[in-house]
Amino acid sequence: SSPSTPESAYDYDVATKDRVVRKVQRIPSGHDAGAYVVRRLQVPGHDGAEIPLTVMHRKDTALDGSAPLLLYGYGSYGMSMPAEFSTNRLSMVDRGFVYAIGHVRGGTDCGYGWYDPDGKMMKKKNSFLDFVA
């Protein structure tokens, strides 16, 4: 799944390379994945490291600074923050929010080195500085 696409289950035939959808997460209020934009950006951190940022908004949301932003991030214990579908986030985005996930150091979003040595112990401050970058 992606932040704009509900989870789906597929059967895949390796020999023929055919894929058949078996189940798609049902959204009771309805859902059009094409109404959303999801971007993966790289933003410069305080020390020049490129911090991945996943951003989601409706296509009709003005990106002129007037839309509210919810920036979420967690970077600790090597836990990565997957950019996955959530009906809770969808509700906010449908009301004009821009939703972003900062994949900060301390997690393993960019490999184990994103956690150790760059996001723990004496370099733990990178997690917080990445978030505000």
Side-chain angles (χ1 to χ4, degrees):
S1 86
S2 80
S4 65
T5 307
E7 291 190 26
S8 300
Y10 297 89
D11 279 346
Y12 181 73
D13 187 320
V14 178
T16 64
K17 299 184 181 178
D18 287 336
R19 184 173 70 164
V20 177
V21 178
R22 293 296 179 193
K23 184 176 182 179
V24 176
Q25 180 183 357
R26 192 171 82 70
I27 311 302
S29 60
H31 178 66
D32 174 15
Y36 305 91
V37 175
V38 178
R39 293 188 177 106
R40 180 73 171 229
L41 308 173
Q42 298 286 328
V43 296
H46 72 283
D47 59 356
E50 293 289 315
I51 313 304
L53 183 69
T54 302
V55 179
M56 178 178 155
H57 58 86
R58 286 188 58 87
K59 282 184 177 178
D60 57 0
T61 300
L63 299 179
D64 59 4
S66 64
L69 167 74
L70 175 64
L71 174 61
Y72 177 78
Y74 180 81
S76 199
Y77 303 104
M79 299 293 293
S80 60
M81 288 293 98
E84 59 192 6
F85 184 80
S86 164
T87 55
N88 294 333
R89 289 183 213 131
L90 196 62
S91 176
M92 290 181 18
V93 171
D94 281 343
R95 288 185 252 157
F97 272 76
V98 175
Y99 179 78
I101 303 170
H103 303 278
V104 301
R105 284 176 278 190
T108 52
D109 298 272
C110 295
Y112 191 76
W114 205 239
Y115 164 61
D116 184 13
D118 286 346
K120 70 180 223 178
M121 299 182 72
M122 298 307 290
K123 292 190 177 181
K124 183 62 192 160
K125 68 179 181 177
N126 285 336
S127 299
F128 304 99
L129 294 171
D130 289 355
F131 188 80
V132 298

